[in-house]
Amino acid sequence: MTGDIGADLGRRVVAAVAAAFEVDITIDQAVVRPSPRDGVDYQINTAMALAKRLRRPSREVAEQILDHLDLGPMAANVEVAGAGFLNVALNDAWLSEHTTALAADPRFGYRPEGAPRRVVVDYSSPNMAKEMHVGHLRSTIIGDAIVRMHTFAGDEVVRQNHLGDWGTPFGMLVEHLVDEGLHETEFSISDLNVFYQQARTKFDADQDFADRARARVVALQAGDPDTLALWERLLTESKHHIEAVYDLLGVQLTPADYQGESAYQPVLDDVADELTRRGLAHTSDGALCVFLEGFTGREDKPLPLIVRKRDGGYGYDATDLATIRHRAHNLKGDRLIYVVGSPQSTHFAMIFAAARKAEWVSPVTETDHVAFGSVLGEDGKILRTRAGATLKLTDLLHEGVQRAAAIVADRTDLSEAERAEIAQAVGIGAIKYADLSTDRIKDYVFDWDRMLAMDGNTAVYLQYAIARIRSILRRADHTPPLGAPVTLTEPAERRLALELARFPEVMDTALQHLEAHRLANYLFELATAFSSFYEQCPVLKSQDEVRASRLALATHTAAVLEGGLDLLGIETPQRL
């Protein structure tokens, strides 16, 4: 059973076009859209585009499609309108049965086409030996939402946290710690932030230190025991920090998902050799490079992927080439997803192109760079502290919880533990939803007042909608189970049922485009439809079958809202 009414109508239109004109079209070319017009539930816009192809008037084409369109019991009325639109009004009895069936389905009617896939998702990817800052927020929560949605779709998901745990920064930091005698002391992640800044200053100003730091990188690469031991201490402290952040955010990354840059160092020579053997890598100005058609830099000069630098060392290009080879060959991913900021778009386009040219990635394997914009302050610049420093992610998250706690501080009907639970869910949820409800490719302005507003498209509004439905169900003398019969007689009931039926279509589109904002905005529209239903259709004051049906609609709505927010990684407190 699928709940996607639009897709079902599309398939029927495809069959009608084939029968009427012996022409094949896709479901997308059927152009079926929900309609906001009174008395019209869906509009079919196939005829306009098809008329050009057939060189016939669009209204005549629409009439022919209608003559061959078999909608069975689902439609009460279908008519040709305007230049050739087909307006569909669904049968109330059919829509009632359809809504009842959706409510009984744990997937709310969502049935992805095709076999389950193995999906590899690269996200979060903080640098070790530094505190996570606000710049890590988007990759972490967008990636987590994508993982949750693919898991819900039945795919096998492999999470990959590509930690920055190698290279010159660690040579600098280790050498600085040894220089200052700090390697024999205990240190925290905050200490490491300061130590790294000190090491960076010395590296830029002191040539002797810079040389020793580079030598320390060589020692690290060679497996020097003392250097390795200190490096591992740095990683351990860093991992404790990021795990605390992940726990606060409620994301699904675990130590089992860590795959740092260091893991690929042993295979970089082999990657370089393979690319050379395949004739893809060539020496240019002393470096081993891959040049790809269509990628140019300044003055239209070919833009290289630098596999091996002039000094024989390897950088990010080589590591990312080794990474995609590993994910295609060893992890056997059918879809490879990288959740990384927009500035890296050209880099990943080149990595994907090189991997395909090297035949590491098959023609049927999807490669997706999930690009995203920046989090901005009210001044339109990258969000920072008032002093202009980089904003620590833990500070941002704790502030969100504190602000939410202030909202419920005067709720004497709640215990202290309940207020703390609500503050956590509301504060973290507000931050995550503000991000995920925005088209990820765009920058957005961080605004606490807007995020924590009880009205508008916010997590708090959705959490409150769920809490209100739970309150209704608690006050009812009988709460119907999911899948209890629904009867639709009032316009507000039909609008809510039609909104519930959109979930499969929204999920499919959100996953296809890897855009969580499509799901977030749908949940807001669903909550708004429920609010109108609740105002216009008394629930607890209605009688008998009408009351039971409306309670069933409320139960179904709460389940979809709660399930949808869970797919976004947002908790829903029992009371609000």
Side-chain angles (χ1 to χ4, degrees), residues 522-533:
Y522 162 75
L523 295 176
F524 172 64
E525 291 166 6
L526 176 60
T528 302
F530 179 82
S531 180
S532 297
F533 156 78

Side-chain angles (χ1 to χ4, degrees), residues 74-101:
M74 70 187 300
N77 184 55
V78 186
E79 62 181 11
V80 177
F85 305 106
L86 287 176
N87 290 336
V88 180
L90 298 175
N91 182 290
D92 285 349
W94 180 89
L95 184 58
S96 297
E97 292 177 4
H98 184 76
T99 305
T100 302

